[in-house]
Amino acid sequence: MSYPYDLYKDAKQQLLLTGLYELTLHHTENNAAYRAMLEKSGSQPQNHLLESVPYLPVQLFKLMDLVSVPQENIVKVLTSSGTTGQQVSKIYLDKETAAQQSKALVEVMKPLLGTQRLPMIILDTKSVLKDRRSFSARGAGILGFANFGRQHFYALHDDMSVDWDGLAQFLSKHEGSKILLFGFTYMIWKHVYLEAKQKGIAIDFGDSLLIHGGGWKKLQDEAVDNATFKSELGRVLGIRQIHNYYGMVEQVGSIFAECEHGHLHTPNYADVIVRDPISFAPLPYGQQGLIQVLSLLPKSYPGHSLLTEDLGVIHGEDDCPCGWKGKYFSVAGRIPKAELRGCSDTYAFGQGGREA
C-alpha cells in the first residue's frame, strides 16, 4: 500500500469495483449463508457501480456466524462491545485478513502519526487484553494502535480509576518528547476527563496527540459533541492535538481518520455510501442517511460491504482543504432502534435490497 489518500475518484472507483466484485464472488462461492441471502434478495455481484455492490446489515453478525474460509484457518475471533446480556458481533479472521487489516491501519494513520514510534499512554486498563485469541472491540483497537507507540503505559486501574501518580511519572520521564495517547471516546471523557475535573487534578499532557474513537452515542446523550470534547480535553488535560476516527469491529482495519479540518476520510481501499433509511436509495452529498461502508480487506468473512446503524453525511470528494483525496464525511449518531429494526428486516428478508 502506498500513501492512503492519493487516489482521485475515477482511479479509486476502478480499484474498488474490481476488488469488491472479486470479494463478492469469493464470499458467494465459499459461504453458503451469504450466497443464500444474495439469492433471496435478488442481488447479483456486479462490477460497474459501487452502489450496486450487495451489502449486509451489520447487526447480522450478532445473529449468525459468517465465515468464508475453512474453520481451521481462523486465528482470531473479534467481538463487538455490548452491555451484559446483549448479543455481540463475532468476526472471524484468518492470518491473511488479520495481516491485511494491521497493515492498512498503519498506512491510514501514517499521515497523522508519522513513522517514528512515540512514547504511548493507553487510556484504558491492561486487563482488556487477557485472551489473545478472542478480543473485544476495545482489545482489538488497543492492540492495533499499540503498534504506533513504545514504552506503553496503561493509565487506568482495573476498577477504571486513573493511576495519576503513574501518569505523572511517565510524563516526567518523557518530558520534551511528543506523547501519543490512545483511548475510546466515552471512556476518556468519563474516566479521565471527569475524574480530573471532579478531583481538581492539575495535569498537562504537553506535546501530545490523542487518537480516539467509539462511544459517541453515550456522549451525544450527554450533549457532548466533537468540538466540546476537543476544547475540554485541551483545557483540563492540556492535550494539544486530537483526532477522532470512525470504525467498527465488523470491518476492523477500515479506519476512517479525522483530518485537521475535522472531516472523516475514506482511504484508497475503503469507501462510504449514504442511503435513505426507508428506500435504501443512495443519497446525494449533503443529505443525511444510513452509512454503508465498503472495504477491500475482509476476506475471511463477508464484511466487505455493510449497512451500518449510523447516520452520516458525505460533504464532498477529492476537495477537502487538508489535501487528502477521497470522500470526506461526518457521523451524526445512531438511528433509533425501532427504525433500524425495520430497515434490517426489510433487507434480510429480501424485500429492500434490490438496488444494493
Side-chain angles (χ1 to χ4, degrees):
M1 289 181 187
S2 58
Y3 185 76
Y5 306 107
D6 62 354
L7 290 184
Y8 284 91
K9 181 178 178 177
D10 290 347
K12 180 175 176 176
Q13 280 212 333
Q14 202 46 58
L15 173 76
L16 289 173
L17 282 169
T18 303
L20 291 168
Y21 176 67
E22 289 172 0
L23 277 172
T24 303
L25 287 179
H26 162 76
H27 294 302
T28 304
E29 290 166 7
N30 294 283
N31 190 310
Y34 179 77
R35 183 166 62 247
M37 282 185 279
L38 257 57
E39 286 171 357
K40 192 162 187 180
S41 68
S43 300
Q44 292 294 325
Q46 295 178 26
N47 63 355
H48 66 281
L49 198 63
L50 281 180
E51 285 83 356
S52 70
V53 178
Y55 55 79
L56 300 179
V58 286
Q59 55 270 41
L60 207 57
F61 292 92
K62 290 182 168 70
L63 307 173
M64 304 174 71
D65 289 341
L66 294 167
V67 192
S68 302
V69 293
Q71 197 65 43
E72 60 267 23
N73 290 3
I74 298 301
V75 296
K76 198 179 286 184
V77 182
L78 305 178
T79 57
S80 60
S81 50
T83 54
T84 309
Q86 244 187 4
Q87 284 178 303
V88 295
S89 294
K90 281 188 177 179
I91 304 302
Y92 296 86
L93 303 183
D94 64 357
K95 201 171 182 180
E96 181 188 347
T97 304
Q100 284 276 58
Q101 292 178 334
S102 296
K103 186 179 174 185
L105 178 61
V106 170
E107 293 297 327
V108 162
M109 298 309 296
K110 209 176 272 181
L112 292 177
L113 302 179
T115 54
Q116 197 173 357
R117 292 190 177 203
L118 304 172
M120 185 172 187
I121 297 170
I122 296 166
L123 299 168
D124 210 320
T125 168
K126 200 170 187 176
S127 62
V128 78
L129 300 178
K130 278 175 188 162
D131 185 348
R132 284 295 174 123
R133 193 178 181 279
S134 178
F135 278 122
S136 66
R138 267 172 65 200
I142 289 169
L143 265 194
F145 279 94
N147 290 321
F148 297 103
R150 58 184 172 86
Q151 297 181 313
H152 306 86
F153 174 73
Y154 288 80
L156 299 187
H157 297 296
D158 283 354
D159 66 357
M160 307 310 287
S161 63
V162 181
D163 180 359
W164 294 112
D165 290 340
L167 256 183
Q169 288 170 20
F170 186 91
L171 291 171
S172 173
K173 180 181 175 184
H174 296 285
E175 194 174 356
S177 300
K178 193 177 183 84
I179 304 285
L180 174 61
L181 307 167
F182 173 76
F184 295 94
T185 309
Y186 182 70
M187 293 179 63
I188 294 168
W189 184 266
K190 184 181 178 185
H191 299 298
V192 184
Y193 162 77
L194 286 180
E195 189 176 323
K197 197 177 169 191
Q198 286 159 3
K199 292 184 175 178
I201 288 168
I203 193 164
D204 189 332
F205 281 92
D207 183 13
S208 52
L209 186 156
L210 168 65
I211 302 291
H212 70 100
W216 274 113
K217 186 179 184 300
K218 289 179 183 175
L219 275 189
Q220 284 161 344
D221 291 345
E222 297 177 19
V224 178
D225 60 12
N226 197 13
T228 305
F229 183 88
K230 286 181 178 177
S231 64
E232 281 298 287
L233 262 64
R235 185 179 69 83
V236 174
L237 303 174
I239 300 174
R240 310 285 197 267
Q241 194 181 343
I242 300 176
H243 291 273
N244 178 31
Y245 72 86
Y246 175 64
M248 63 206 72
V249 73
E250 290 86 359
Q251 212 178 74
V252 72
S254 293
I255 293 292
F256 302 98
E258 182 186 49
C259 72
E260 65 201 66
H261 293 274
H263 295 136
L264 298 165
H265 279 259
T266 59
N268 292 344
Y269 67 86
D271 213 346
V272 294
I273 295 166
V274 169
R275 293 185 178 273
D276 183 284
I278 307 302
S279 70
F280 299 103
L283 292 173
Y285 297 174
Q287 286 193 28
Q288 182 176 285
L290 277 175
I291 297 172
Q292 176 188 351
V293 290
L294 301 156
S295 172
L296 297 179
L297 300 179
K299 193 173 179 184
S300 56
Y301 68 100
H304 60 302
S305 178
L306 302 176
L307 191 66
T308 74
E309 303 173 344
D310 300 315
L311 293 166
V313 177
I314 298 171
H315 300 290
E317 187 168 12
D318 293 343
D319 59 0
C320 181
C322 75
W324 296 359
K325 305 309 171 201
K327 289 177 191 165
Y328 54 98
F329 66 105
S330 59
V331 180
R334 190 143 313 174
I335 195 169
K337 278 292 177 192
E339 288 180 52
L340 182 64
R341 203 168 294 120
C343 294
S344 59
D345 289 351
T346 302
Y347 181 83
F349 292 104
Q351 296 163 19
R354 297 270 168 193
E355 80 290 322

